[in-house]
Amino acid sequence: MNVLKFGGTSVANAQNLKKAEHIIRQQSEQDKLVVVISALSGITNLLERCAILASAGNEEYLELLAQIEQRHLEICTSLLPVNTRSNSLAQVKLALNELEDICRGVFLIGELSPRSNDHIMSYGEVISSMIVTDYLKSTGLDAELYNSKAFIKTDSQFGKATVDFALTYENIQQTFKESAAIAICPGFVASSKTDNHITTLGRGGSDYTAALIAAAVEASELQIWTDVNGMMTSDPRLVPNAHTIKSLSYEEAMELSHFGAKVIYPPTIQPVLDADIPITIKNTFAPDHSGTKISVGASENGNFVKGTSSIDDIALLTLSGSGMIAVPNISYRLFGSLSREGINVILITQASSEHTITVGISKEDLEQARKSVSNEFAREIEAHKINPLEEETGLSIIALVGSRMKQQVGISAKLFDTLSHNGVNVRAIAQGSTELNISVVIDKKDLKKSLNSIHESFFLSDRRKLSLFMIGVGNVGKVFIEQVKAQRDYLAENLNLDLLVTGLANSRQMYFDENGIDLNNWEHLLSEQSEAMETSSFVEHMKELNLRNSVFIDSTASKDIATLYKEVLESSISVVTPNKVACSSSYETFRELTNSALKYKAKFLYETNVGAGLPVISTLNDLIKSGDKVHKIQAVLSGTLNFLFNHYDGSKPFSEVVRDADSAGFTEPDPQIDLSGVDVMRKILILARVSEHKLELEDITNNGFVPESCMDTNTVEEFYDKLDEHDEVFQNIYKQASAKGQRLKYVATFEDGKAQTDLESFGPEHPFYNLGGKDNIVLFYTNRYSEQPLVVKGAGAGAAVTASGIFADIMKIASA
C-alpha cells in the first residue's frame, strides 16, 4: 500500500484535479492507495478570516463564505457528470450550510473559542475530500471516502492537538484492513479521544495525516504531491538557479524544513522516520520528474552540502555580564522565561567564557521576550551584575545543511569566505557538534545576495555571475559594451560566467536592471526609460540593489566620479577604471583606496591607467609580489605624442601634424593637455607607486618641449597659432636628432626614487627607435632583469584596446 498526499494547489481547480486523477489512476493499477486531500488552495486562509470577522461582529464574513461556496460549486459543476452531480452538490451544499450556521453562532455571541475555530477550519479538507471522492468515482475508479476524524485521536488541545499514537495507529490499521482500492481521507482533521470533538493537527496537518497513516499501515512509500519538483537547493524565489535535491536523509529534510523550506513541515516527518518509510516529494504538474526522495542513508553519496534555507525577520537578544560567569541556572532561567511566554527559540549561541548568551527569535515575539527576560533578571540588572538586554532587529538566518559536512574540511571556511567577499557581515554563528547545520545570522538586506553567493559557491562552483555598473558610455564605454555583448555567450558556455550589465549612466541619464540590461537596446533604454543622473544616487542605487559580485566601472576622466571609489570599495564592490585621477592624486588617497580594497575584500584594478590594454601594471605587480626589486623604469607612455613624432619630419609645420592627430581622434579635445606632458607624468607616477615608492605628482620633473607662450593660450585655435609662430623650435629639435641618425620620443623615466619626463632622441640600437604609430613601450630594469630589461610593448591608445583592458580586469575579478 502507498500513501499519497495532494496539497492545496494540486486540487485548487478542475484542471489541476484532472492531473491528480491521472496520477492516482496510474498508481492504483499497481497498488492499493490511501489518498490524503488538502483544502483547495487559499480556502484555509478564507476560513480563518471568516472566523475572525464573525467573532468581531463584522458581516463581511458572509461575503467570504459566498466566495468559498462559489469555489467549491464551480469545481463540482466543471468536473462531475450531470447524472451524479446533483447528489454531490447537495452534500457539498449541506456542509457549507453547517459552516455558515457555526459562523453565524460565532457572530451572534461575539466569541471565537479554539474549539469553534477548529470546527470552522476543518471544513476546507472535509469538503475538498468529498468532491475528490465523487470525481474519482465518476471516472470509474474504486474510490471511497473515509473520515479521518474517526481514526485520528488527539487530546483536547484545540488548534494544535497532540496525537495519541497508540490509539490512532490501532484505529488506522482496523480502518484500512479491508479498504477500497483507493481510500480518500481529509487531511488536517482529527477528533479528541475523550468527547469526539473536532480537533486539527496544526500547520502542515495534511502532511501529518498522511505520515500517520503511512506509518500505521507500514506503507511502501509516502508521496507528497505539490507544485514544485521536490525540495530545492535554495529558495527559487530568491535564487533563480536553485535546483531539485535528488535525495535527502530525514535529518537533512527536517533541518531544511525548519529553516524555511516550505515543502514539508518538520513534525510531519517523525512518524515515517520512526517507521523507516521513504518520502518522495513530487510535482503534480510535472509527474515524470523524479522529485526528492527522503530516506535513511540518502546522504551517503552526493554533495557534502545538500541545500541552503533561510528564515526572514528575526531578532537577536543577548544577555551578558560578568555576573553570569560560573553561575548555575542562568541558561535555565533565560530559556524558562521565554518558554513561559510560549516563545520559540530559533537559534542559540553562547561564548565559552559564559559571559554572553545570544538567542534568535521571531521579530513578532521581541516585545514579549524583552519584558519576560528583563523581569526574570531584574535584580541582577539593577545590581549591575548583568547588563541590560541587548537586541538587534532586521536580521535573517541562513542555514547550510548536509549530514556529510563533518567529513569535509573547509566547509565553514568556504561559507565565511564567500560572505566576506560579498561584503556580508555575520552577526552570529551556530553549529551543532553533528555538523548537520551551520547557521549564520546576517542583515536582512543581504539575504538575497548571500543566498545567491552561497549557492553559486557550493552548488555551481564552476559558474559565476558578475553584475557590472558603468558610468561613462562614450567612445571607450560603447566599445566595451559591444565587446561584452559579443563575448557573453562564449563566457557562459566555456567559462561558466554570466556577465550582466546591470547599471549604465552618462552625464545626463542613468538606467538600472538587476536582471541585466538588454545590450541590443541599451542606448534607447538609457535615453528614454532612465532617470536623471546624479553620481551619489547612482552609487546609492547600486548599493541598494546589493547584487553579489558587483563591479563598478568608471569609464570617464571625471574627478567627481573618482571621489566615489572609497565609498564603493567600502561597500565590498570592486572598482575597475581607466580614469587616472584617483591613482595620480595624493599618495595618501592612492594608499587609502588600495587598503580599502584589501579591507573590504574588493578589487581595485586600474590596468588601463597606463598603456591602455597593455599588461603593464599587472606585470609590474607580479614582479613586486614575487620579490623582484625595480631599479629603473623607462617608458614611452603617450600614444598621442608617439604618433606626432613618428609623423613629424620637418617637411610641414608641427601644428599641421597635431591637427592630423586631432582629426584621427588621437588627441584630447584640447591638444594642449597631450602636449603638456601632464598625462605622461601621471602615468609614471602610478608606475612608481606600484613599485612601492612614495611619490607625489609635484615631485616629478617635467621637461616640456613646447614653448611656454604656446601653453599660455585660451582657445585651441590660439594654441595652433602659437605653434605656427614657434615652428622653428620644433624644426631645430627634429634636425638635431636627425643629424645624429636618431628619432624623437617623449620619455618618462623613474630611477633611484626620482621621476622625470622629457623629449629625447634614440638611435637604432635602442628599443624605442622602431616604436611606430601610437604604440607604447615600457622597459623594466630590475634585479632579475638587470642586463636586458623586461619589455612590454604594443598599442597604447584607442577605444578598442582600452575597452579590452577594462574587460581583462573584469576577467581577473571573475577568476579571483
Side-chain angles (χ1 to χ4, degrees), residues 735-742 761 763-764:
K735 288 177 181 178
Q736 289 175 15
S738 181
K740 294 185 287 186
Q742 296 180 339
S761 61

Side-chain angles (χ1 to χ4, degrees), residues 8-114:
T9 52
S10 299
V11 296
N13 52 47
Q15 183 181 0
N16 295 0
L17 267 170
K18 288 178 181 178
K19 296 180 186 296
E21 185 272 340
H22 180 69
I23 293 165
I24 293 167
R25 177 178 294 277
Q26 282 189 321
Q27 297 210 20
S28 67
E29 293 172 358
Q30 302 169 13
D31 209 344
K32 292 183 70 174
L33 304 179
V34 177
V35 180
V36 177
I37 303 298
S38 295
L40 275 57
S41 179
I43 291 297
T44 300
N45 290 337
L46 287 175
L47 288 169
E48 186 175 26
R49 287 173 58 199
C50 266
I52 292 169
L53 289 172
S55 66
N58 188 333
E59 290 189 345
E60 287 182 12
Y61 81 91
L62 292 170
E63 295 176 13
L64 298 184
L65 284 176
Q67 291 180 37
I68 293 169
E69 180 174 338
Q70 183 180 3
R71 284 275 309 275
H72 289 95
L73 295 182
E74 280 179 357
I75 290 180
C76 286
T77 305
S78 301
L79 282 177
L80 299 173
V82 177
N83 59 334
T84 62
R85 187 186 304 165
S86 58
N87 182 58
S88 296
L89 287 172
Q91 293 298 317
V92 170
K93 187 67 178 173
L94 179 63
L96 289 168
N97 289 340
E98 289 175 3
L99 171 62
E100 185 175 356
D101 289 343
I102 296 168
C103 289
R104 179 66 178 170
V106 170
F107 174 81
L108 291 173
I109 63 174
E111 181 183 340
L112 179 64
S113 68

Side-chain angles (χ1 to χ4, degrees), residues 648 726-738 744:
Y648 179 61
H726 292 84
D727 194 60
E728 187 177 348
V729 172
F730 305 110
Q731 291 272 359
N732 289 334
I733 293 172
Y734 173 76
K735 288 177 181 178
Q736 289 175 15
S738 181
L744 293 168

Side-chain angles (χ1 to χ4, degrees), residues 57-296:
N58 188 333
E59 290 189 345
E60 287 182 12
Y61 81 91
L62 292 170
E63 295 176 13
L64 298 184
L65 284 176
Q67 291 180 37
I68 293 169
E69 180 174 338
Q70 183 180 3
R71 284 275 309 275
H72 289 95
L73 295 182
E74 280 179 357
I75 290 180
C76 286
T77 305
S78 301
L79 282 177
L80 299 173
V82 177
N83 59 334
T84 62
R85 187 186 304 165
S86 58
N87 182 58
S88 296
L89 287 172
Q91 293 298 317
V92 170
K93 187 67 178 173
L94 179 63
L96 289 168
N97 289 340
E98 289 175 3
L99 171 62
E100 185 175 356
D101 289 343
I102 296 168
C103 289
R104 179 66 178 170
V106 170
F107 174 81
L108 291 173
I109 63 174
E111 181 183 340
L112 179 64
S113 68
R115 176 178 156 187
S116 297
N117 191 63
D118 267 6
H119 205 147
I120 291 171
M121 299 297 290
S122 71
Y123 277 92
E125 280 73 12
V126 168
I127 299 174
S128 65
S129 58
M130 290 166 52
I131 295 172
V132 170
T133 304
D134 288 345
Y135 171 54
L136 294 180
K137 285 181 176 179
S138 73
T139 65
L141 291 174
D142 179 17
E144 187 175 339
L145 180 62
Y146 291 79
N147 186 357
S148 301
K149 294 176 284 186
F151 52 78
I152 299 181
K153 294 297 179 179
T154 71
D155 61 12
S156 296
Q157 186 182 347
F158 298 101
K160 192 176 181 181
T162 300
V163 173
D164 184 325
F165 287 97
L167 180 56
T168 295
Y169 284 179
E170 183 183 347
N171 290 343
I172 292 171
Q173 289 162 2
Q174 289 297 319
T175 302
F176 297 106
K177 200 171 186 179
E178 295 181 1
S179 61
I182 303 170
I184 308 296
C185 307
F188 184 58
V189 297
S191 64
S192 60
K193 60 186 176 183
T194 53
D195 48 22
N196 290 323
H197 287 305
I198 293 173
T199 58
T200 60
L201 301 178
R203 177 185 160 198
S206 291
D207 287 353
Y208 201 12
T209 301
L212 289 168
I213 295 171
V217 301
E218 298 180 353
S220 305
E221 181 183 33
L222 167 59
Q223 297 176 11
I224 296 178
W225 290 84
T226 180
D227 56 359
V228 294
N229 290 332
M231 297 189 75
M232 311 290 281
T233 48
S234 197
D235 186 342
R237 294 168 300 180
L238 298 175
V239 182
N241 289 326
H243 55 266
T244 305
I245 305 169
K246 290 184 178 180
S247 62
L248 287 168
S249 69
Y250 292 111
E251 293 79 10
E252 288 169 335
M254 282 198 283
E255 288 288 338
L256 286 170
S257 300
H258 174 70
F259 281 92
K262 306 296 185 186
V263 179
I264 55 174
Y265 182 52
T268 65
I269 298 178
Q270 195 63 48
V272 287
L273 189 159
D274 293 339
D276 194 14
I277 295 169
I279 304 172
T280 304
I281 314 295
K282 298 275 284 180
N283 188 347
T284 304
F285 309 100
D288 293 332
H289 192 282
S290 59
T292 300
K293 188 165 187 174
I294 303 168
S295 62
V296 173

Side-chain angles (χ1 to χ4, degrees), residues 608-624:
T608 47
N609 275 200
V610 180
L614 293 176
V616 176
I617 291 174
S618 57
T619 299
L620 182 53
N621 265 319
D622 289 343
L623 291 171
I624 300 300

